[in-house]
Structure formats: structure tokens, C-alpha cells
Amino acid sequence: MEIDLELPSSDQEKLESGVNTNECIMDSASELRGIDEAASSCLVEEVVEACGLNAIEGVIDGGDKVEESGVGVDVVGEGGISVPQNGLKFETKEAAYAFYRDYALSVGFGITIKASRRSKKNGKFIDVKIACSRFGSKRESSVSVNPRSCTKTDCKAGMHMKRTEDEKWVIYSFVKEHNHEICKEDYDNATGRRNKQSGAVARPKKGLQLALDEDDVKVMLEYFMCMQAENSNFFYAIDLDHEKRMRNVFWIDAKGRHDYHSFCDVVFFDTFYVSSKYKLPFVPIIGVNNHFQFVLLGCALIGEHSASSFLWLMHTWLKAVGGQAPKVIITDQERFLNEAVVDVFPDTRHYYSLWHVFSKIPENLSAVMNQSEIFMLKFNKCIYQSQTDEQFEKRWWKMVHRFELREDEWVHSLYENRIKWVPTFIRDTSLAGMSTTERSGSVASFFDKYIHREAVFKEFMEQYKAFLEDGYEMEAKAEFETQNKQPALRSLSSFEKQASTLYTDAVFKKFQVEVLGVVSCHLQKESEDEATINFRVDDFEERQNFLVSWSKSTMDICCICRSFEYRGFLCKHAILVLQMSGVSNIPSRYILKRWTKGAKINQAVDKVSKSLHYRVQRFNDLCKKAIKLGKEGSLSKEAYDIAVRTLEEVLENCVGLNNSVKSVLEPNTLDVLGFPGFEEENCDNCLAKSSKKKRTYKKKKVC
């Protein structure tokens, strides 16, 4: 059910005059437009998968979800109607709103958001007033568009709720009595149910409807079906809301699914275009190949910037790539993204994009930055020059106290999630160059030149196709240069020579810069114990000192610049220490296969085995081969006889095997309603899934 949360067009009623303007600011009710949707009593999700002629799958999830913490309070009045009472608590403002909405529906009056307030300190809602839709005075103007039949009576009925210190919401005051007769039409008017002159139901646009019109949807679906016809390994899914309106869309092409098997170590869910309010809410799912190039591992259009949308997206994406979770996921610093990652990828390491954290500093700490020119110097020193966890803690709290940030919620959230973004806490993994301090320096920024803020869908699709073509050309060129050109060596370093035989051309050139940069560094031993030697490397080029720890027994080396953790190869500081320690080759653990020329060598074998992972995939693969057999076997009587004898023999062997050995096939219900189009070159790649049950994903370590 949908409530119109816009303030009435008449003069808005002000908050009490006693409000302290230094503590709170006024907000229009339009900012609470998502309340009713978040508290929707029923969620209907339908996923359309482009798997040949498979039917649309419908999944109904959940039920009434009005959370009430005040269970012991008697709120049931005459006739079983739940009546609000002062002091009744709720977990969220959405739950409180849903409670009053249901009460209004049962009584038969319309409601509207009268006023709301946010905290100036953290921007969170702290106060919401909901009123009877007849509050206020009748307008003087005789000109009215779509006039309401129920007039204004200055009704005082309503509910006032406030946020408590423990983040709950409580009913602060409640006025039950109305100064007018109850009119069922009031509720219809307030919830947008009024009939237009044509008799149609008025339904305001929301979600993806604001970005896509009917022609856009048609173009999109035609593109999806065309791609599916060309290659059955193309996958798409559509998420519909309870009103059957498109809420979210996801798709991934055959190349993206293919690339993921080789580069599944690091994946970035890039919400930059959504959070930056681009007209088209595009979310690319990004990886990086062995040539240090942007790889598109999936695309989405997100109609609702919410946890439920990203839960759907991540579940759907995981399904599309065969249920194989990545080692590392990078996202922006958003609460709902945290929740989605924990739910869908509990065993995956989750990190924040560095550039996103830094981009939020002017927005959240502008006052501090304006008052002190040295704040960013201290912040950068704390983040980048802390050599140990203890040193970071000491510098962080010194900075917090100096700039009086103890009560700042954003700063507090940064500290609470420090292991997800502070370099000193990122160990034993590599982010493959996907996290940088500036977006322009990240692989993720490659798509930025193909999309602008006001781009409409048709323009986006043209640019998307151009991006794919450019990407294919760039990758083909890089692959050719790697396989056919011998990189030029510029030093006598054994590390450079070793890397030239292993790394792709693009990665070798980045590593070569580190090898040549060794000459600008000076080494000095700092300390030594039984297991580890600590060196101080003076980098004259960067005008900074770096601490490098080296263990000869375990061949472990770590530099505080975190080059290996962030880029996936050793820095000049570590190379210098290894050289001076008598090591002539890069330790094998510091040569990532993902950067090597052979990163894709075993893909042909992996491609076949992984494409047969699910029962539905195996079924469709056999069906496509059977169709090909039918074509050839029907050309002559002799060929037919051979095909029949062979099939009967194979069938008998399969039945015997399944009867004698306990089947290890997935327990998914197979419900195939049609066969996908087939092409000879794609017969091993079919992925057509049709399951009427919501699949439970099992996390696997695959990389």
C-alpha cells in the first residue's frame, strides 16, 4: 500500500516555536518518501532470467514486518483496532509510520507527513509529525487541479514520534479525536488512489520509472533477448516490486562470466553513479584482468538505493557467476552495502574504496578543514605513515583529541571500520590496484568517460556498446603485445629479468619502474630479532622513510607503503632489501598468477568443467548436444541406426550408474519449459536455469 507523503499544498504548518535551531533543521516530508516502501507489508520479487525460453520465476518473500518493542503495552481498542498510545516504542521510524498507517486504514482517514526534523550534528531524523489529511485550512484560491472531495477542517488528529538516545522511536504524543466525520475517501485521496478523469488509478513514478520510460524498457529487453540469442551464456534478471513495477535490473554477458573464473580474487561494486545522483542509476561490477585493464563482471540499474536492492543484486550476481564468491569485495562506505556483503558474502574480505573515504572528508569535516590547514597533513600521516597498529591507534586518538572530533559520528564510524580501509590493517591479500586515493587513478574510473550525469538510457546503451568494443580492442592489443613482443630490459637486476618472463607487458612496465627506482633509495638496518630484521629505507625521490620487515626463514617481506597489498607486486623498498639480503629471485608468494602471461592458460579446461557445475547446466548441455545428434542422425537410415543403438547403450549405462551410486547432483527442482537457442560454437557454454525455489548459496573458496 502506498501513502502520498507530500506535504499539503496549503501553507505548511510550522514546528513549535520552542525548537532550538542550533540543534536541528527543518525537513520537508518529501525526504521521508521512502518510509512506506521500507515498511511495506508484503514484498513480491519476480526474477526474469534470460535462459533460452525459460519462464518468469516468481518469488514471494516475507510478510507483515511492523517491528514493535513495546509488546507489553495494550494498544488494542474496540473492534480489535490497534490504537497508538504515548510511550509506545518502535525499532525504526518506518515501523512507527507503518503502524499509524495501518491504524488510519482501519479507522478510515487519510494521513500525511506534517513536518519532520533532522539533527544538525549527524543529519539523522529525530522528529516526525504525522497528521490527518484534513489538517490545515482550506485554500482561498478558486483554481484547483484535481481537487479533493474532502475539504480541510483544521483537524488536530495525528501522531508525533521522536527518536530516543538508544536509536529507537517512541510515540511522543497522540491525538485520537477528529473534528469531522470519517470519510473513507480521505484515505484513498491520501494514498494516491483517487481516480483521474479517465477513471485510471493515479500511480506516481518511482524507482527505475524515473530513469526509464516505456520505450527505454522496450529497447533494453530487445537488447537482452538479442544478446541471449547470440550467446546463450548471456544472463539477465529483473526485480519487480509488489505493484509489478521494475525496481532493479541486472545483466552480465558471456565474456564477463568467462573472465570471472580467471579474475575472481577482487571485485568492486561501484555505486559512484548512484551516490553521485546520475540520471541513470548505473552500478558496474568491476574486476581487473592480467593486463591491468577494467573488466566488466556485471551491470545493474538500481531503482532503490536500499539494502534490499543490493541484497537482491549481490544474490543475483552470485548466482550468475556460478555461486563462486570472490576473495575480496570493495564497496563504498555505506551502511546498507555493509549489511548486504555480510549477508551474501560472509567469508569474503570486505574493504572500502580509499578514494571514497577521502572524498567524504570535505563533506563531513568541512568545518575542521576550514579552521585548520594542517588537518589533512595529520590525517594523511596517521593513515599512510603508521608502521604498526599501535602507532596508528596513538596517532588517531591524538588527532581526534586535537581537532575535537570525539563526538563526530562519521569519524567514529571510520575508526570502528578501520580494518576495512586503513593500509596498516590490510594484510595477506591484494586489492589488485582497485583501491586508490583518487578515483581518477583507479581502474574503476575507466568507464567515467563513457557516461555523463544527464545521460538518458538510449544514449547510455550506445556508450555501453562503445565501451565494450573499446575494451575488446584494448585487451586484444595487450594480449598480442604480451605474447609477441619481448620487453626491453633497462638494468642488470635479476628481478627485472625474472619479471620480464612472467608478467604481462603492462604489469611488467609498472614493476620495472620499481626496479629502476631502487637507485633513489638508501638502506639502513634498524633492529633485528631471531625471526625478523627491520630496515629503514630512505626514499629520496618521495622524500619519505619506509620501514621494511624481512624474515629470511619464511621469505616474508612487508613494506609500510603496502605496494603488494594494494597493487599486487613488490615495491622498490622491498626489492632493495631483498637484493641486499642476497636474494636473487622474487619469492614465489609475491608473484600473483593473476598478473602473469599464463593467467588464462587453463581457462579452456576450467570453462568446460565449471559450466557443468549445476544440474540445470548439465541438462541443457546434453539437450543441445542431443539436438545436434538429431540433425545428423536423421540424414540417413544408417546414421539413424547408429544413433539409436548408441543412445540406448548410453542410457542403459547411465541408469545403471545412477542406481548403483548415490547421486551427488544438486537437489534443485528441474523444471525446463523450453530449450535455449543453440549455436555450435556455444554448445559448452549454455547456462539456462529454471528453479521455483529460492536457492541457498553455499560459499566456496575458488581462487
Side-chain angles (χ1 to χ4, degrees), residues 140 252 320 386 403 427 473:
E140 297 297 330
I252 178 173
S386 295
F403 297 102
R427 306 184 182 99
E473 183 178 342

Side-chain angles (χ1 to χ4, degrees), residues 89 126 162-170 409:
K89 283 189 175 182
I126 58 174
K162 291 187 176 184
R163 182 165 63 90
T164 61
E165 292 182 357
D166 61 354
E167 301 295 321
K168 309 294 184 184
W169 283 80
V170 63
E409 290 192 14

Side-chain angles (χ1 to χ4, degrees), residues 181-239:
E181 293 184 2
I182 298 300
C183 173
K184 282 288 183 180
E185 194 175 341
D186 283 10
Y187 189 86
D188 293 340
N189 288 333
T191 56
R193 291 182 176 183
R194 282 184 304 150
N195 291 340
K196 295 181 179 179
Q197 292 180 0
S198 62
V201 176
R203 300 206 307 178
K205 289 184 177 182
K206 62 180 181 179
L208 278 186
Q209 287 187 320
L210 298 174
L212 305 177
D213 58 29
E214 292 183 4
D215 290 338
D216 292 334
V217 174
K218 182 179 179 181
V219 169
M220 180 177 65
L221 294 179
E222 286 177 349
Y223 173 76
F224 289 165
M225 289 185 286
C226 178
M227 293 300 295
Q228 167 61 203
E230 290 180 4
N231 193 317
S232 58
N233 224 19
F234 182 90
F235 177 101
Y236 72 91
I238 298 175
D239 177 30

Side-chain angles (χ1 to χ4, degrees), residues 238-289:
I238 298 175
D239 177 30
L240 305 179
D241 64 15
H242 62 285
E243 295 178 324
K244 308 299 182 184
R245 295 191 289 191
M246 188 180 295
R247 181 165 51 190
N248 305 300
V249 180
F250 167 78
W251 72 95
I252 178 173
D253 62 16
K255 185 180 184 301
R257 301 176 80 180
H258 185 67
D259 285 339
Y260 179 72
H261 295 312
S262 291
F263 308 110
C264 58
D265 52 345
V266 184
V267 174
F268 179 25
F269 280 76
D270 186 7
T271 54
F272 171 75
Y273 305 111
V274 176
S275 59
S276 299
K277 307 299 182 184
Y278 275 56
K279 185 178 181 67
L280 207 65
F282 178 56
V283 177
I285 302 170
I286 303 166
V288 59
N289 65 16

Side-chain angles (χ1 to χ4, degrees), residues 257-423:
R257 301 176 80 180
H258 185 67
D259 285 339
Y260 179 72
H261 295 312
S262 291
F263 308 110
C264 58
D265 52 345
V266 184
V267 174
F268 179 25
F269 280 76
D270 186 7
T271 54
F272 171 75
Y273 305 111
V274 176
S275 59
S276 299
K277 307 299 182 184
Y278 275 56
K279 185 178 181 67
L280 207 65
F282 178 56
V283 177
I285 302 170
I286 303 166
V288 59
N289 65 16
N290 56 335
H291 302 292
F292 218 89
Q293 294 172 338
F294 183 111
V295 175
L296 206 52
L297 303 177
C299 301
L301 297 178
I302 298 298
E304 294 180 3
H305 199 52
S306 63
S308 62
S309 287
F310 283 94
L311 277 170
W312 175 85
L313 173 59
M314 291 180 182
H315 274 302
T316 305
W317 176 79
L318 186 63
K319 181 179 182 180
V321 296
Q324 302 168 344
K327 282 185 176 181
V328 172
I329 282 184
I330 300 173
T331 71
D332 293 347
Q333 184 200 7
E334 298 283 359
R335 178 181 57 80
F336 56 80
L337 288 172
N338 280 335
E339 295 171 357
V341 171
V342 169
D343 185 274
V344 183
F345 307 104
D347 300 321
T348 295
R349 294 190 180 189
H350 181 203
Y351 295 109
Y352 295 150
S353 168
L354 262 182
W355 71 262
H356 181 265
V357 173
F358 275 77
S359 70
K360 290 294 182 180
I361 294 176
E363 176 184 334
N364 291 282
L365 301 177
S366 58
V368 178
M369 294 178 68
N370 293 334
Q371 292 173 6
S372 176
E373 295 180 355
I374 66 170
F375 171 73
M376 285 308 299
L377 293 176
K378 296 298 181 182
F379 189 87
N380 286 329
K381 181 179 180 180
C382 176
I383 302 306
Y384 293 117
Q385 297 182 34
S386 295
Q387 301 177 2
T388 63
D389 298 355
E390 293 75 16
Q391 190 175 52
F392 166 79
E393 296 279 346
K394 182 179 179 180
R395 287 177 172 174
W396 178 270
W397 289 113
K398 183 178 179 180
M399 177 187 69
V400 166
H401 289 298
R402 177 173 180 174
F403 297 102
E404 299 181 351
L405 298 172
R406 291 182 299 275
E407 303 301 322
D408 190 283
E409 290 192 14
W410 186 72
V411 172
H412 180 70
S413 70
L414 287 182
Y415 178 76
E416 288 294 308
N417 293 300
R418 58 194 180 280
I419 63 173
K420 295 183 178 183
W421 68 279
V422 178

Side-chain angles (χ1 to χ4, degrees), residues 631-682:
K631 282 186 173 182
E632 297 298 326
S634 63
L635 294 179
S636 67
K637 180 65 167 62
E638 292 76 12
Y640 170 79
D641 291 338
I642 293 174
V644 170
R645 284 198 305 270
T646 304
L647 284 174
E648 289 177 347
E649 181 181 350
V650 171
L651 178 61
E652 184 179 348
N653 291 338
C654 289
V655 171
L657 178 65
N658 290 334
N659 288 337
S660 60
V661 181
K662 184 178 180 179
S663 176
V664 293
L665 299 178
E666 293 84 342
N668 294 329
T669 302
L670 189 63
D671 182 20
V672 178
L673 303 177
F675 299 98
F678 64 92
E679 298 84 28
E680 185 172 344
E681 65 273 19
N682 294 324

Side-chain angles (χ1 to χ4, degrees), residues 309-581:
S309 287
F310 283 94
L311 277 170
W312 175 85
L313 173 59
M314 291 180 182
H315 274 302
T316 305
W317 176 79
L318 186 63
K319 181 179 182 180
V321 296
Q324 302 168 344
K327 282 185 176 181
V328 172
I329 282 184
I330 300 173
T331 71
D332 293 347
Q333 184 200 7
E334 298 283 359
R335 178 181 57 80
F336 56 80
L337 288 172
N338 280 335
E339 295 171 357
V341 171
V342 169
D343 185 274
V344 183
F345 307 104
D347 300 321
T348 295
R349 294 190 180 189
H350 181 203
Y351 295 109
Y352 295 150
S353 168
L354 262 182
W355 71 262
H356 181 265
V357 173
F358 275 77
S359 70
K360 290 294 182 180
I361 294 176
E363 176 184 334
N364 291 282
L365 301 177
S366 58
V368 178
M369 294 178 68
N370 293 334
Q371 292 173 6
S372 176
E373 295 180 355
I374 66 170
F375 171 73
M376 285 308 299
L377 293 176
K378 296 298 181 182
F379 189 87
N380 286 329
K381 181 179 180 180
C382 176
I383 302 306
Y384 293 117
Q385 297 182 34
S386 295
Q387 301 177 2
T388 63
D389 298 355
E390 293 75 16
Q391 190 175 52
F392 166 79
E393 296 279 346
K394 182 179 179 180
R395 287 177 172 174
W396 178 270
W397 289 113
K398 183 178 179 180
M399 177 187 69
V400 166
H401 289 298
R402 177 173 180 174
F403 297 102
E404 299 181 351
L405 298 172
R406 291 182 299 275
E407 303 301 322
D408 190 283
E409 290 192 14
W410 186 72
V411 172
H412 180 70
S413 70
L414 287 182
Y415 178 76
E416 288 294 308
N417 293 300
R418 58 194 180 280
I419 63 173
K420 295 183 178 183
W421 68 279
V422 178
T424 190
F425 293 99
I426 299 178
R427 306 184 182 99
D428 305 320
T429 190
S430 175
L431 304 186
M434 297 285 281
S435 180
T436 58
T437 54
E438 295 182 3
R439 182 174 175 85
S440 59
S442 169
V443 176
S445 67
F446 183 70
F447 201 89
D448 291 354
K449 63 182 180 181
Y450 291 88
I451 183 173
H452 61 85
R453 192 176 298 273
E454 297 300 324
V456 295
F457 182 75
K458 293 181 180 64
E459 183 180 358
F460 164 80
M461 286 303 298
E462 292 301 319
Q463 291 300 311
Y464 168 75
K465 293 173 184 177
F467 165 78
L468 292 180
E469 292 177 3
D470 291 348
Y472 298 154
E473 183 178 342
M474 289 174 56
E475 184 173 356
K477 181 180 179 181
E479 192 67 31
F480 177 83
E481 291 180 351
T482 294
Q483 300 299 332
N484 296 280
K485 291 184 180 181
Q486 184 64 32
L489 301 182
R490 298 173 59 188
S491 75
L492 298 178
S493 170
S494 59
F495 293 91
E496 184 185 18
K497 184 177 181 180
Q498 179 190 10
S500 69
T501 64
L502 297 174
Y503 288 144
T504 61
D505 186 63
V507 177
F508 169 73
K509 288 178 179 178
K510 293 179 180 294
F511 181 76
Q512 189 178 51
V513 172
E514 299 300 318
V515 173
L516 299 177
V518 168
V519 297
S520 67
C521 298
H522 178 265
L523 183 67
Q524 182 177 341
K525 183 186 292 186
E526 286 279 293
S527 61
E528 181 177 1
D529 56 31
E530 295 181 357
T532 305
I533 305 176
N534 295 316
F535 295 91
R536 190 187 76 187
V537 178
D538 297 323
D539 191 327
F540 299 111
E541 183 180 0
E542 298 187 26
R543 298 180 180 180
Q544 188 177 337
N545 299 328
F546 295 89
L547 181 68
V548 180
S549 300
W550 161 243
S551 174
K552 188 172 183 179
S553 60
T554 61
M555 299 295 282
D556 287 339
I557 191 163
C558 179
C559 179
I560 65 166
C561 76
R562 304 292 176 185
S563 172
F564 180 76
E565 286 77 9
Y566 277 90
R567 298 189 294 170
F569 49 82
L570 293 178
C571 62
K572 54 188 173 183
H573 318 117
I575 292 172
L576 177 59
V577 170
L578 290 175
Q579 287 179 342
M580 298 304 292
S581 301

